PDB file of all heavy atoms in Angstrom:
ATOM      1  N   GLY K 234      15.557  28.866 -10.668  1.00  0.00           N
ATOM      2  CA  GLY K 234      15.377  28.029 -11.836  1.00  0.00           C
ATOM      3  C   GLY K 234      14.533  28.660 -12.912  1.00  0.00           C
ATOM      4  O   GLY K 234      14.065  27.977 -13.811  1.00  0.00           O
ATOM      5  N   GLY K 235      14.257  29.946 -12.839  1.00  0.00           N
ATOM      6  CA  GLY K 235      13.602  30.627 -13.944  1.00  0.00           C
ATOM      7  C   GLY K 235      12.121  30.406 -14.038  1.00  0.00           C
ATOM      8  O   GLY K 235      11.578  30.350 -15.136  1.00  0.00           O
ATOM      9  N   GLY K 236      11.419  30.201 -12.954  1.00  0.00           N
ATOM     10  CA  GLY K 236       9.969  30.072 -13.059  1.00  0.00           C
ATOM     11  C   GLY K 236       9.394  29.300 -11.895  1.00  0.00           C
ATOM     12  O   GLY K 236      10.108  28.702 -11.103  1.00  0.00           O
ATOM     13  N   ASP K 237       8.061  29.286 -11.771  1.00  0.00           N
ATOM     14  CA  ASP K 237       7.384  28.556 -10.705  1.00  0.00           C
ATOM     15  C   ASP K 237       7.348  27.086 -11.011  1.00  0.00           C
ATOM     16  O   ASP K 237       7.213  26.673 -12.158  1.00  0.00           O
ATOM     17  CB  ASP K 237       5.954  29.092 -10.533  1.00  0.00           C
ATOM     18  CG  ASP K 237       5.949  30.545 -10.093  1.00  0.00           C
ATOM     19  OD1 ASP K 237       6.936  30.948  -9.424  1.00  0.00           O
ATOM     20  OD2 ASP K 237       4.989  31.237 -10.426  1.00  0.00           O
ATOM     21  N   ARG K 238       7.417  26.286  -9.967  1.00  0.00           N
ATOM     22  CA  ARG K 238       7.343  24.831 -10.148  1.00  0.00           C
ATOM     23  C   ARG K 238       5.890  24.414 -10.341  1.00  0.00           C
ATOM     24  O   ARG K 238       5.008  24.822  -9.600  1.00  0.00           O
ATOM     25  CB  ARG K 238       7.922  24.128  -8.923  1.00  0.00           C
ATOM     26  CG  ARG K 238       9.408  24.388  -8.731  1.00  0.00           C
ATOM     27  CD  ARG K 238       9.912  23.636  -7.513  1.00  0.00           C
ATOM     28  NE  ARG K 238      11.341  23.873  -7.317  1.00  0.00           N
ATOM     29  CZ  ARG K 238      12.033  23.352  -6.312  1.00  0.00           C
ATOM     30  NH1 ARG K 238      11.438  22.587  -5.414  1.00  0.00           N
ATOM     31  NH2 ARG K 238      13.324  23.614  -6.193  1.00  0.00           N
ATOM     32  N   SER K 239       5.653  23.538 -11.313  1.00  0.00           N
ATOM     33  CA  SER K 239       4.287  23.062 -11.561  1.00  0.00           C
ATOM     34  C   SER K 239       3.947  21.952 -10.583  1.00  0.00           C
ATOM     35  O   SER K 239       4.798  21.166 -10.188  1.00  0.00           O
ATOM     36  CB  SER K 239       4.175  22.535 -12.997  1.00  0.00           C
ATOM     37  OG  SER K 239       5.110  21.496 -13.209  1.00  0.00           O
ATOM     38  N   LYS K 240       2.690  21.886 -10.209  1.00  0.00           N
ATOM     39  CA  LYS K 240       2.247  20.871  -9.263  1.00  0.00           C
ATOM     40  C   LYS K 240       2.259  19.495  -9.916  1.00  0.00           C
ATOM     41  O   LYS K 240       1.958  19.343 -11.087  1.00  0.00           O
ATOM     42  CB  LYS K 240       0.844  21.193  -8.771  1.00  0.00           C
ATOM     43  CG  LYS K 240       0.795  22.444  -7.913  1.00  0.00           C
ATOM     44  CD  LYS K 240      -0.614  22.664  -7.371  1.00  0.00           C
ATOM     45  CE  LYS K 240      -0.649  23.885  -6.478  1.00  0.00           C
ATOM     46  NZ  LYS K 240      -2.012  24.118  -5.933  1.00  0.00           N
ATOM     47  N   ARG K 241       2.577  18.508  -9.109  1.00  0.00           N
ATOM     48  CA  ARG K 241       2.645  17.145  -9.610  1.00  0.00           C
ATOM     49  C   ARG K 241       1.235  16.603  -9.841  1.00  0.00           C
ATOM     50  O   ARG K 241       0.384  16.673  -8.954  1.00  0.00           O
ATOM     51  CB  ARG K 241       3.377  16.267  -8.598  1.00  0.00           C
ATOM     52  CG  ARG K 241       3.895  14.975  -9.188  1.00  0.00           C
ATOM     53  CD  ARG K 241       4.778  14.280  -8.177  1.00  0.00           C
ATOM     54  NE  ARG K 241       5.390  13.098  -8.738  1.00  0.00           N
ATOM     55  CZ  ARG K 241       6.229  12.321  -8.083  1.00  0.00           C
ATOM     56  NH1 ARG K 241       6.553  12.608  -6.848  1.00  0.00           N
ATOM     57  NH2 ARG K 241       6.754  11.248  -8.661  1.00  0.00           N
ATOM     58  N   LYS K 242       0.995  16.074 -11.019  1.00  0.00           N
ATOM     59  CA  LYS K 242      -0.333  15.594 -11.372  1.00  0.00           C
ATOM     60  C   LYS K 242      -0.606  14.239 -10.751  1.00  0.00           C
ATOM     61  O   LYS K 242       0.260  13.367 -10.717  1.00  0.00           O
ATOM     62  CB  LYS K 242      -0.460  15.507 -12.900  1.00  0.00           C
ATOM     63  CG  LYS K 242      -1.868  15.190 -13.376  1.00  0.00           C
ATOM     64  CD  LYS K 242      -1.930  15.201 -14.879  1.00  0.00           C
ATOM     65  CE  LYS K 242      -3.353  14.878 -15.352  1.00  0.00           C
ATOM     66  NZ  LYS K 242      -3.424  14.853 -16.834  1.00  0.00           N
ATOM     67  N   PHE K 243      -1.834  14.051 -10.249  1.00  0.00           N
ATOM     68  CA  PHE K 243      -2.222  12.785  -9.630  1.00  0.00           C
ATOM     69  C   PHE K 243      -2.338  11.707 -10.703  1.00  0.00           C
ATOM     70  O   PHE K 243      -2.954  11.917 -11.750  1.00  0.00           O
ATOM     71  CB  PHE K 243      -3.560  12.966  -8.909  1.00  0.00           C
ATOM     72  CG  PHE K 243      -4.107  11.703  -8.319  1.00  0.00           C
ATOM     73  CD1 PHE K 243      -3.548  11.151  -7.179  1.00  0.00           C
ATOM     74  CD2 PHE K 243      -5.175  11.053  -8.917  1.00  0.00           C
ATOM     75  CE1 PHE K 243      -4.046   9.993  -6.637  1.00  0.00           C
ATOM     76  CE2 PHE K 243      -5.682   9.889  -8.380  1.00  0.00           C
ATOM     77  CZ  PHE K 243      -5.116   9.362  -7.237  1.00  0.00           C
ATOM     78  N   SER K 244      -1.756  10.528 -10.440  1.00  0.00           N
ATOM     79  CA  SER K 244      -1.734   9.435 -11.414  1.00  0.00           C
ATOM     80  C   SER K 244      -2.322   8.176 -10.800  1.00  0.00           C
ATOM     81  O   SER K 244      -1.654   7.502 -10.006  1.00  0.00           O
ATOM     82  CB  SER K 244      -0.296   9.175 -11.879  1.00  0.00           C
ATOM     83  OG  SER K 244      -0.234   8.054 -12.740  1.00  0.00           O
ATOM     84  N   PRO K 245      -3.582   7.825 -11.140  1.00  0.00           N
ATOM     85  CA  PRO K 245      -4.164   6.583 -10.614  1.00  0.00           C
ATOM     86  C   PRO K 245      -3.390   5.340 -11.035  1.00  0.00           C
ATOM     87  O   PRO K 245      -3.305   4.370 -10.271  1.00  0.00           O
ATOM     88  CB  PRO K 245      -5.579   6.588 -11.213  1.00  0.00           C
ATOM     89  CG  PRO K 245      -5.855   8.023 -11.546  1.00  0.00           C
ATOM     90  CD  PRO K 245      -4.539   8.600 -11.933  1.00  0.00           C
ATOM     91  N   ASP K 246      -2.827   5.350 -12.242  1.00  0.00           N
ATOM     92  CA  ASP K 246      -2.083   4.179 -12.715  1.00  0.00           C
ATOM     93  C   ASP K 246      -0.872   3.894 -11.830  1.00  0.00           C
ATOM     94  O   ASP K 246      -0.521   2.733 -11.612  1.00  0.00           O
ATOM     95  CB  ASP K 246      -1.620   4.396 -14.158  1.00  0.00           C
ATOM     96  CG  ASP K 246      -2.779   4.415 -15.139  1.00  0.00           C
ATOM     97  OD1 ASP K 246      -3.839   3.838 -14.808  1.00  0.00           O
ATOM     98  OD2 ASP K 246      -2.639   5.012 -16.220  1.00  0.00           O
ATOM     99  N   GLY K 247      -0.241   4.935 -11.323  1.00  0.00           N
ATOM    100  CA  GLY K 247       0.908   4.726 -10.438  1.00  0.00           C
ATOM    101  C   GLY K 247       0.522   3.992  -9.169  1.00  0.00           C
ATOM    102  O   GLY K 247       1.250   3.110  -8.704  1.00  0.00           O
ATOM    103  N   TYR K 248      -0.639   4.320  -8.600  1.00  0.00           N
ATOM    104  CA  TYR K 248      -1.117   3.634  -7.405  1.00  0.00           C
ATOM    105  C   TYR K 248      -1.405   2.160  -7.713  1.00  0.00           C
ATOM    106  O   TYR K 248      -1.063   1.272  -6.923  1.00  0.00           O
ATOM    107  CB  TYR K 248      -2.381   4.317  -6.883  1.00  0.00           C
ATOM    108  CG  TYR K 248      -2.128   5.587  -6.114  1.00  0.00           C
ATOM    109  CD1 TYR K 248      -1.801   6.770  -6.770  1.00  0.00           C
ATOM    110  CD2 TYR K 248      -2.205   5.617  -4.726  1.00  0.00           C
ATOM    111  CE1 TYR K 248      -1.562   7.940  -6.067  1.00  0.00           C
ATOM    112  CE2 TYR K 248      -1.968   6.792  -4.014  1.00  0.00           C
ATOM    113  CZ  TYR K 248      -1.657   7.942  -4.703  1.00  0.00           C
ATOM    114  OH  TYR K 248      -1.421   9.096  -4.005  1.00  0.00           O
ATOM    115  N   ARG K 249      -2.063   1.918  -8.833  1.00  0.00           N
ATOM    116  CA  ARG K 249      -2.415   0.527  -9.179  1.00  0.00           C
ATOM    117  C   ARG K 249      -1.173  -0.313  -9.450  1.00  0.00           C
ATOM    118  O   ARG K 249      -1.090  -1.468  -9.018  1.00  0.00           O
ATOM    119  CB  ARG K 249      -3.356   0.520 -10.383  1.00  0.00           C
ATOM    120  CG  ARG K 249      -4.773   0.949 -10.058  1.00  0.00           C
ATOM    121  CD  ARG K 249      -5.704   0.633 -11.204  1.00  0.00           C
ATOM    122  NE  ARG K 249      -5.453   1.504 -12.344  1.00  0.00           N
ATOM    123  CZ  ARG K 249      -6.106   2.631 -12.567  1.00  0.00           C
ATOM    124  NH1 ARG K 249      -7.024   3.051 -11.709  1.00  0.00           N
ATOM    125  NH2 ARG K 249      -5.844   3.375 -13.637  1.00  0.00           N
ATOM    126  N   ILE K 250      -0.219   0.240 -10.170  1.00  0.00           N
ATOM    127  CA  ILE K 250       1.011  -0.510 -10.474  1.00  0.00           C
ATOM    128  C   ILE K 250       1.771  -0.834  -9.191  1.00  0.00           C
ATOM    129  O   ILE K 250       2.268  -1.955  -9.012  1.00  0.00           O
ATOM    130  CB  ILE K 250       1.883   0.287 -11.453  1.00  0.00           C
ATOM    131  CG1 ILE K 250       1.208   0.383 -12.822  1.00  0.00           C
ATOM    132  CG2 ILE K 250       3.264  -0.349 -11.587  1.00  0.00           C
ATOM    133  CD1 ILE K 250       1.924   1.283 -13.808  1.00  0.00           C
ATOM    134  N   THR K 251       1.840   0.130  -8.288  1.00  0.00           N
ATOM    135  CA  THR K 251       2.526  -0.110  -7.014  1.00  0.00           C
ATOM    136  C   THR K 251       1.845  -1.229  -6.229  1.00  0.00           C
ATOM    137  O   THR K 251       2.510  -2.110  -5.668  1.00  0.00           O
ATOM    138  CB  THR K 251       2.543   1.170  -6.174  1.00  0.00           C
ATOM    139  OG1 THR K 251       3.214   2.208  -6.915  1.00  0.00           O
ATOM    140  CG2 THR K 251       3.269   0.947  -4.861  1.00  0.00           C
TER     141      THR K 251
END
Side-chain angles (χ1 to χ4, degrees):
D237 297 332
R238 295 181 180 179
S239 58
K240 292 184 178 180
R241 199 171 185 178
K242 188 177 180 181
F243 176 74
S244 175
D246 292 337
Y248 282 76
R249 286 192 289 266
I250 293 174
T251 301

